[in-house]
Amino acid sequence: MQLLDGKSCSEQIRQEIAKTVSQLKADGQRAPHLAAVLVGNDGASQNYVAFKVKDCEEVGLESTTIRLEDSITEQELLAKVDELNKDDAIDGFIVQLPLPKHIDENKIILAIDPAKDVDGFCPENVGRLNLGLPTFISATPNGIMELLRRYEIDTEGKHCVVLGRSNIVGTPMAVLMSRNTNPGNATVTIAHSRTKDLASFVRQSDIVVAAVGRPQMVPGDWIKPGATVIDVGINRIEKEDGKTKLIGDVEFEGASKRAGAITPVPGGVGPMTMAVLLANTVTAACRQAGVDEPA
Ligand code: NDP
């Protein structure tokens, strides 16, 4: 069994990004600049944004965090998005989700300039992904593809089941796995909460991508021997000592005995997501400056 170590793989990507950023600066460009908009005091969102800022610093990117009160109106947030769209010093930005209930997330996503949408959530970028055109691909599925690529996992002609059909993980993941690319060229099934007999789909799949958000909902004995298991789920559970720990959507212990390759939680998909966001920011900066994009 091969552990798909997202932590070390993302470290490698960070080093490559740091090198690219140094080269850009040596060529007279300013450092690529990522902004993150954080609305309210959600603990998980604050942590994610703090990690993103730290990551930027480590690879030499500029970063700005814009903290806004929970009480901000939709109009005010739209005005902030417009300001960032027009700010030449910002190459890419994200609006950390979820947003407070009184704000329509779709309206906010629609307002982001596609050229700065490094999360790849806006309709133009989603459409470009579907057409196989240059775009920003949502960081989590893109990070998974990068992990598969770097570990040279053979996906061609394999049956891949994607559990979950969200706009940011499951659906783009299914599109990417079915495209005529490497990795890709898989035969893909998308499963969701209305899928009947989920076990039968998982049992026959060579590649399982679990993106549901239910702790250990995939028991180890569902995994086909030799399958590749990508566990996207991040579930916080309380341990007996009152502390919390993170577990995935797959029962790791049992699955790792059957799988050919598997991602751990934590240390699998999460770090890859972060690294790819940084890479997308560098790409955005290069496109806006009209210089060659890093390979
Ligand atoms: P969503 O809640 O948006 O989507 C969950 C999906 O799971 C839905 O499509 C839902 O189906 C489906 N689902 C729910 N219950 C079942 C079930 N019993 N059987 C099969 N499918 C089911 O979640 P996200 O896609 O945003 O995230 C999924 C998980 O991935 C979460 O744990 C999240 O924290 C994690 N995540 C991890 C990231 C990382 O970097 N590692 C990044 C992003 C997310 P339906 O559409 O019918 O409701």
Side-chain angles (χ1 to χ4, degrees), residues 40 45 48 163 167 198 212 228:
S45 294
Y48 288 136
L163 312 185
N167 291 337
L198 189 63
V212 173
T228 297

Side-chain angles (χ1 to χ4, degrees), residues 240-257:
E240 278 169 13
D241 60 7
K243 293 187 178 151
T244 56
K245 73 166 183 173
L246 296 184
I247 60 168
D249 288 349
V250 178
E251 186 245 319
F252 182 83
E253 210 180 308
S256 58
K257 292 195 178 96

Side-chain angles (χ1 to χ4, degrees), residues 48 140 163-170 191-195 198 210-214 217 231-235 249 268-271 273-274:
Y48 288 136
T140 301
L163 312 185
R165 57 178 166 187
S166 71
N167 291 337
I168 62 169
V169 189
H192 43 76
S193 65
R194 313 293 167 89
T195 299
L198 189 63
V212 173
R214 287 176 175 242
M217 70 163 287
D231 193 349
V232 187
I234 299 179
N235 307 289
D249 288 349
V269 175
T273 299
M274 301 290 224

Side-chain angles (χ1 to χ4, degrees), residues 99-119:
L99 292 171
K101 298 253 177 302
H102 65 277
I103 297 177
D104 181 344
E105 285 185 358
N106 281 332
K107 261 196 200 166
I108 304 301
I109 290 169
L110 275 162
I112 298 173
D113 178 349
K116 294 191 175 187
D117 170 36
V118 285
D119 256 341

Side-chain angles (χ1 to χ4, degrees), residues 15-66:
Q15 283 172 16
E16 290 162 14
I17 295 172
K19 234 168 130 182
T20 306
V21 173
S22 301
Q23 188 59 52
L24 286 172
K25 287 185 195 163
D27 292 345
Q29 302 289 327
R30 63 166 172 73
H33 190 162
L34 174 72
V37 180
L38 179 60
V39 182
N41 300 312
D42 178 74
S45 294
Q46 286 189 341
N47 278 343
Y48 288 136
V49 170
F51 281 131
K52 284 167 188 169
V53 169
K54 188 169 152 280
D55 279 0
C56 283
E57 280 168 10
E58 277 173 17
V59 299
L61 299 190
E62 287 286 325
S63 72
T64 300
T65 306
I66 297 145

